[in-house]
Amino acid sequence: QAFTGSNRYILDYLMEEVLNQEPEETQAFLLQTSILDRLSGPLCDAVISNTKSQDVLQYLESSNLFVVPLDHDRSWYRYHRLFSDLLQDQLAKSQPEMLPTLHRRASKWYERNELPIEAVNHALAADDFERVAQLVERYALEVLNRGEEITLVGWLDALPDELVRSRPWLCVFHAWMLLLSGDAEVIESRLQDAERGLAD
């Protein structure tokens, strides 16, 4: 547990004796799915445009390749944290242009499966602020009904201010959060932004 992703000797070992020993197709799978906190066959299929991800996950588990099952049905897995750190680092170095695409695909899969928090978080990781705004507008009330105000505040704070001001519902939700936090000074301007947006 003392090892971290910065431990050079362990990372060198994982690179040379684990990752580089796998076929290129498996290496690509490992790298491109490393953006996911949890792995399932259908989710990985959507992210990497594949149809055999469940077989790959079962192979990785049977080969003891740092994959941990999260349920008895072997439907969900996760990578060991150190291995995940290595894979993400390698992906960022070798295929940085792929990151936004992979995160967008993950976001869309989570949206289709009604998992809003994961959908928004992956859209944020892709820097796709328009998509984040659409998802927040769609799911804000659901998140609030679950008592997750902090989550909603985090989403709104991550968006560019001009984007929030240009969308009436985001202005209303932001004003609502400001009201709950007692920050009354900005509430009126947010509501004025919302009124302007509705008038337009």
Side-chain angles (χ1 to χ4, degrees):
Q1 290 182 3
F3 290 131
T4 68
S6 62
N7 189 298
R8 179 169 58 85
Y9 303 106
I10 298 298
L11 293 180
D12 287 347
Y13 171 81
L14 289 174
M15 278 293 297
E16 294 168 13
E17 301 298 330
V18 179
L19 186 60
N20 291 342
Q21 300 303 314
E22 291 300 314
E24 285 187 14
E25 187 175 335
T26 304
Q27 289 186 39
F29 178 93
L30 289 165
L31 291 174
Q32 293 178 12
T33 59
S34 68
I35 66 159
L36 303 169
D37 292 329
R38 297 185 304 151
L39 310 155
S40 74
L43 172 57
C44 292
D45 282 347
V47 169
I48 65 172
S49 300
N50 199 345
T51 58
K52 300 177 182 177
S53 295
Q54 189 63 37
D55 294 339
V56 177
L57 289 169
Q58 290 171 351
Y59 160 75
L60 294 173
E61 182 192 4
S62 66
S63 302
N64 295 316
L65 273 173
F66 301 94
V67 176
V68 181
L70 298 177
D71 55 27
H72 295 299
D73 299 328
R74 299 305 203 261
S75 297
W76 287 95
Y77 299 83
R78 68 170 176 82
Y79 292 127
H80 185 282
R81 178 52 58 195
L82 184 64
F83 193 49
S84 176
D85 289 347
L86 167 73
L87 295 173
Q88 289 177 28
D89 185 60
Q90 284 302 114
L91 178 64
K93 288 177 180 175
S94 63
Q95 304 174 58
E97 73 286 351
M98 282 291 294
L99 285 168
T101 300
L102 297 171
H103 282 295
R104 279 193 200 94
R105 291 174 183 168
S107 177
K108 289 176 182 176
W109 187 90
Y110 278 119
E111 181 186 12
R112 285 195 303 273
N113 288 272
E114 296 296 326
L115 294 163
I117 292 177
E118 292 88 347
V120 173
N121 288 342
H122 278 286
L124 282 170
D127 289 332
D128 191 343
F129 295 126
E130 280 292 332
R131 176 167 176 74
V132 173
Q134 293 167 6
L135 290 169
V136 172
E137 288 171 340
R138 175 177 174 184
Y139 289 115
L141 288 176
E142 178 183 330
V143 169
L144 286 173
N145 286 336
R146 294 203 306 249
E148 298 178 1
E149 292 88 355
I150 293 174
T151 297
L152 180 55
V153 168
W155 292 346
L156 292 168
D157 287 347
L159 289 171
D161 189 61
E162 63 273 13
L163 180 59
V164 175
R165 295 182 64 189
S166 71
R167 301 180 78 111
W169 274 111
L170 292 185
C171 290
V172 170
F173 290 129
H174 193 206
W176 195 348
M177 294 302 96
L178 292 169
L179 182 64
L180 292 176
S181 68
D183 189 359
E185 290 184 12
V186 189
I187 292 174
E188 185 174 356
S189 67
R190 274 291 178 260
L191 293 177
Q192 289 172 349
D193 290 334
E195 288 175 351
R196 276 193 295 274
L198 289 171
D200 293 339

